[in-house]
Amino acid sequence: MRSIRSTRWVGPLLVLAVLLGCGEGLTRQERWVQVATEDLATRIGVTEADIELVQVEEVVWPDSGLGCPDPDQMYAQATQDGFRIVLRSGEKEYAYHGGVD
C-alpha cells in the first residue's frame, strides 16, 4: 500500500470543507472520504469515479505523528483522535491518515 506522506493536509482540508459548508448532510466519515477522494484524484490525475473506497475507520493515534511519523521529527506524546482511509485507483492503494480536533 502506498502512503501519501502529505496526507496530513487532509485534516486542514476537512476543516476548511466543513467551514465552507461543503458536504452538508454527510456524516463525518463521509466528509473525510469525500475530501480524501478529491485530493487523491487531483494528485494522481484521475476522476473521482476512478477511485474506490477500500476502508475508512476512526482510530486513536498514539501520538501526533498520526500513524506515519517522520523519523527526524519530534511528536507530542499524547493520543490523538483521528481516522485512516484507504483508497484504490487501478492496482494501487493509497492511505490517508488524519487527526480530528
Side-chain angles (χ1 to χ4, degrees):
M1 177 178 351
R2 182 173 174 212
S3 182
I4 297 177
R5 175 140 318 269
S6 59
T7 55
R8 294 172 199 276
W9 286 82
V10 173
L13 288 174
L14 176 62
V15 171
L16 179 61
V18 172
L19 290 175
L20 294 175
C22 179
E24 288 183 33
L26 300 177
T27 68
R28 179 165 65 170
Q29 286 189 356
E30 288 169 336
R31 285 191 307 267
W32 295 339
V33 170
Q34 179 182 33
V35 171
T37 301
E38 290 169 358
D39 179 71
L40 182 59
T42 300
R43 287 177 186 271
I44 65 173
V46 299
T47 68
E48 292 176 34
D50 294 327
I51 297 173
E52 172 189 353
L53 175 64
V54 175
Q55 178 184 20
V56 59
E57 65 181 336
E58 294 188 36
V59 296
V60 177
W61 300 112
D63 57 40
S64 63
L66 305 177
C68 49
D70 181 340
D72 298 325
Q73 184 80 19
M74 302 238 353
Y75 296 95
Q77 298 301 301
T79 59
Q80 169 75 47
D81 291 338
F83 58 89
R84 178 180 319 136
I85 298 170
V86 179
L87 301 173
R88 179 181 299 128
S89 180
E91 297 297 317
K92 292 184 180 178
E93 290 187 348
Y94 301 85
Y96 278 74
H97 293 190
V100 181
D101 291 329

